[in-house]
Amino acid sequence: LQENKRIDTDNLDFSIYNPSIDDFSSLDFREDDNSDPLKVDEFIHKNPKHYVDNHVSTIFTVRHHKEIAAFFTVSMSSIRKKDIELDDKINVTFSDYPALLLGQIGVDKKFRGRGLGQYICKYCSGFGQRLNNDVACAFLILQTTKELAEKYYESKCDFRWKKSNKDIVWMYRKLF
Ligand SMILES: CC(C)(COP(=O)(O)OP(=O)(O)OC[C@H]1O[C@@H](n2cnc3c(N)ncnc32)[C@H](O)[C@@H]1OP(=O)(O)O)[C@@H](O)C(=O)NCCC(=O)NCCS
């Protein structure tokens, strides 16, 4: 029954990934059919430190009541004006807009369907808003499958996207 309850947000802990403490080896970030189209599971199990050491991803470990439940990565990035819906374009000369990239997001199979993915998206929006105080940041962005875009990020997490028939699409959420 515990598995069906919404995540207890007072007992969530977000910390920068520490390879000597955070053991992801027994966690499963594949889709329900065991596929891994966005290579989320592969990323965290195959030398994630390489991304950190090369300054391309910051990895966050998310614990629920001290147990690892999820991870995500963030990086500085930008989104092309052509991937933004007409209504959301900004009237400036830039051909792309500054954005915070939610590069990978994975909720362990055991913790799914309890609102954690949506909470992480909100957390990252707040993160982008804070960053904007020092370095301009207009959007939170991610790349995902068309299926998840429709069934999850658009309907549950307030992301928008320029509809296309591509298998992998860019999505964005305005920070302001
Ligand atoms: C996609 C993912 C991050 C969602 O996280 P989550 O914490 O399980 O999702 P939430 O609890 O916030 O949201 C649950 C709702 O979204 C829907 N949903 C979540 N994943 C879905 C999926 N793959 N297909 C369809 N609907 C989905 C659920 O049906 C549920 O709807 P309800 O509230 O109406 O019952 C998680 O399933 C995951 O890690 N998947 C494997 C890795 C992956 O695909 N990462 C995304 C890369 S962009």
Side-chain angles (χ1 to χ4, degrees):
L1 278 171
Q2 169 74 12
E3 311 294 278
N4 296 326
K5 280 210 272 174
R6 299 283 294 178
I7 219 86
D8 172 11
T9 52
D10 291 342
N11 280 293
L12 279 181
D13 177 73
F14 288 71
S15 56
I16 300 261
Y17 168 64
N18 181 338
S20 58
I21 297 173
D22 301 344
D23 180 8
F24 281 95
S25 60
S26 64
L27 303 190
D28 190 344
F29 298 100
R30 295 173 298 173
E31 304 229 323
D32 295 343
D33 64 2
N34 289 344
S35 66
D36 189 20
L38 297 151
K39 307 228 183 290
V40 180
D41 191 72
E42 184 180 305
F43 174 86
I44 201 66
H45 291 127
K46 208 172 143 187
N47 197 13
K49 198 173 167 293
H50 179 67
Y51 286 76
V52 175
D53 292 344
N54 285 287
H55 311 280
V56 295
S57 303
T58 300
I59 307 172
F60 279 82
T61 302
V62 183
R63 286 187 166 76
H64 182 251
H65 287 279
K66 307 228 176 338
E67 190 182 352
I68 298 182
F71 80 93
F72 63 90
T73 72
V74 281
S75 309
M76 287 181 69
S77 189
S78 64
I79 185 159
R80 286 172 300 183
K81 199 172 179 175
K82 71 175 186 60
D83 288 324
I84 300 272
E85 294 252 73
L86 194 60
D87 291 359
D88 297 324
K89 289 192 204 285
I90 308 170
N91 184 21
V92 290
T93 54
F94 292 18
S95 57
D96 44 39
Y97 304 131
L100 176 67
L101 172 67
L102 180 48
Q104 299 278 8
I105 170 169
V107 174
D108 176 52
K109 276 190 179 169
K110 222 175 94 184
F111 288 89
R112 291 199 189 146
R114 299 170 64 186
L116 185 52
Q118 289 163 78
Y119 190 87
I120 290 170
C121 292
K122 281 192 196 135
Y123 183 93
C124 289
S125 282
F127 211 161
Q129 288 164 354
R130 267 189 288 134
L131 281 178
N132 177 72
N133 292 331
D134 294 315
V135 181
C137 187
F139 297 96
L140 175 67
I141 62 169
L142 58 82
Q143 208 177 14
T144 192
T145 58
K146 189 165 173 277
E147 191 186 348
L148 270 182
E150 286 166 345
K151 294 190 178 150
Y152 186 62
Y153 291 107
E154 182 175 30
S155 51
K156 311 275 176 192
C157 306
D158 299 324
F159 279 85
R160 293 168 61 91
W161 57 307
K162 210 155 156 184
K163 307 280 178 299
S164 83
N165 273 323
K166 295 195 182 121
D167 292 340
I168 304 280
V169 300
W170 280 104
M171 303 192 79
Y172 62 92
R173 185 169 147 160
K174 281 172 118 169
L175 293 177
F176 301 97

